[in-house]
């Protein structure tokens, strides 16, 4: 199903968009909600659920159908991301990385051979991808790549360590950013496709995290890994630009995740406020609670419009870097604020796991950190508005 907005922005979703939204909501309620607390507690990767997401087309939504994707627009993608994030942010970050970072980068910049070999199974959800940029000493400063890819003629010799890699052990295809020409700085960086099982490639321990605990986050080590030259994406030295272009779209995905976390917490708080009685009446009749709910609603609506705008600009082929950074900055702050207020509305119940809001609060924090911290988003915004 293909739907791309060609006219001016509309504040009404198309029937196709609403179908995608409904399908994602029903899937999240049916497949993700059961067991979500247990997966969070025991750090269980939602492997079966991700497999079903692939079968339903959620893992390659924007990829051209000729490469196994859904051929949908970015609006459809953020609608699905929001609904899945309301229930399980660990599942939605896997979906976001596969769609925004891995599939999009391969489709946009990969060779036809790379697309046939790697993109098709990723878009179909038969395999999972990982995007490997962060290092122990290169998080926000992505130019300082210590991982090296030494040019050996018909292959690269890859050495180094990557940190905080989503889908770290569950992926089959890894896009690794590495320095080939140190003397050229960021213009000497390459993006290489690495396969699980290549000799010298090892996966470190799973990180024990505050939130998105079901997400598969690992360090990766490369020791003299031979990566064929045909696995390089783009021209020699294109790696840093590739990473930055890809992250622009990734920020739309994470903004949609943050929006979903906030909306999920709000929906739970709204429902709870109607059921919980205090002083002889439902607490939703108390003005203190009404004001909280009203502000939550207003902030979520504002964040939603920013996310939709970034998606819309991407769909019509305009520069969306500023819009994506703005959406991610604001939506992640809204997620943190709304989830905290949702816990407050629940009172003591909000602090226990069975009511879900404490998990959403823990999950919200990472949206201010990964795929560019809030501080990095402010730098991106400032550079754009001061041009």
């Amino acid at each position: 199903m293909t739907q791309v907005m060609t006219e001016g922005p509309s504040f009404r979703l198309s029937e196709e968009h609403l179908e995608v939204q409904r399908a994602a909501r029903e899937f999240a309620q049916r497949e993700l909600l059961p067991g979500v607390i247990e997966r969070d507690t025991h750090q269980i990767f939602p492997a079966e659920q991700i497999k079903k997401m692939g079968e339903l087309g959620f893992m390659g939504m924007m990829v051209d159908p000729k490469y196994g994707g859904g051929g949908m627009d970015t609006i459809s993608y953020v609608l699905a991301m929001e609904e899945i994030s309301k229930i399980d942010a660990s599942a939605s970050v896997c979906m976001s990385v596969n769609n925004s970072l891995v599939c999009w980068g391969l489709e946009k910049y990969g060779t036809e051979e790379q697309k046939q070999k790697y993109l098709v199974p990723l878009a179909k959800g038969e395999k999972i991808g990982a995007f490997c940029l962060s290092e122990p000493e290169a998080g926000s400063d992505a130019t300082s790549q210590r991982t090296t890819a030494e040019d050996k003629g018909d292959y690269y010799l890859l050495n180094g360590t990557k940190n905080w890699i989503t889908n770290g052990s569950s992926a089959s295809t890894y896009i690794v950013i590495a320095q080939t020409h140190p003397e050229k700085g960021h213009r000497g960086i390459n993006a290489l496709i690495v396969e699980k099982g290549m000799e010298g490639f090892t996966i470190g321990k799973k990180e024990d995290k505050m939130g998105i605990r079901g997400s598969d986050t690992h360090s990766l080590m490369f020791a003299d890994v031979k990566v064929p030259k045909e696995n390089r994406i783009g021209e020699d030295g294109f790696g840093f630009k590739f990473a930055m272009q890809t992250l622009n779209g990734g920020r739309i995905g994470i903004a949609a995740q943050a929006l979903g976390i906030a909306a999920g917490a709000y929906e739970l708080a709204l429902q709870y406020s109607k059921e919980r009685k205090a002083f002889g009446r439902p607490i939703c009749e108390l003005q203190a609670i009404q004001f909280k709910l009203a502000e939550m609603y207003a902030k979520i609506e504002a964040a939603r419009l920013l996310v939709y705008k970034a998606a819309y600009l991407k769909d019509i082929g305009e520069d969306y870097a500023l819009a994506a950074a703005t959406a991610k900055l604001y939506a992640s702050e809204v997620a943190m604020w709304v989830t905290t207020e949702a816990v407050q509305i629940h009172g003591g119940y909000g602090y226990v796991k069975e009511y879900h809001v404490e998990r959403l609060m823990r999950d919200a924090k990472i949206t201010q950190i990964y795929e560019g911290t809030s501080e990095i988003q402010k730098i991106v915004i400032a550079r754009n508005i001061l041009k």
Side-chain angles (χ1 to χ4, degrees), residues 254-268:
I254 299 306
Q257 181 188 46
L259 171 63
I261 291 169
Y266 163 75
E267 289 174 9
L268 289 169

Side-chain angles (χ1 to χ4, degrees), residues 94 158 180 242 264 268 276 301 304 317 319 328 369 381:
C94 178
L158 187 66
T180 300
F242 169 84
L268 289 169
R276 171 71 168 164
E301 282 294 294
R304 185 173 284 121
D319 186 351
K328 184 184 181 296
I369 297 171
I381 293 166

Side-chain angles (χ1 to χ4, degrees), residues 16-27:
E16 290 90 345
H17 288 137
L18 292 171
E19 281 178 26
V20 170
Q21 189 180 52
R22 278 193 293 268
R25 185 184 298 129
E26 287 168 9
F27 174 82

Side-chain angles (χ1 to χ4, degrees), residues 110-180:
T111 64
E112 187 61 30
E113 291 74 22
Q114 289 169 351
K115 291 174 188 177
Q116 294 297 338
K117 185 175 181 181
Y118 299 110
L119 179 59
V120 171
L122 288 165
K124 289 180 176 178
E126 295 168 356
K127 291 185 176 178
I128 298 174
F131 185 80
C132 312
L133 175 65
S134 294
E135 296 183 3
E137 294 182 36
S140 294
D141 181 12
T143 59
S144 299
Q145 294 292 305
R146 299 285 181 88
T147 299
T148 58
E150 193 180 348
D151 193 335
K152 292 291 188 181
D154 59 347
Y155 66 90
Y156 288 99
L157 203 59
L158 187 66
N159 283 282
T161 301
K162 293 292 180 180
N163 268 26
W164 323 117
I165 305 305
T166 299
N167 305 334
S169 70
S170 51
S172 300
T173 305
Y174 300 77
I175 298 179
V176 181
I177 311 300
Q179 179 64 262
T180 300

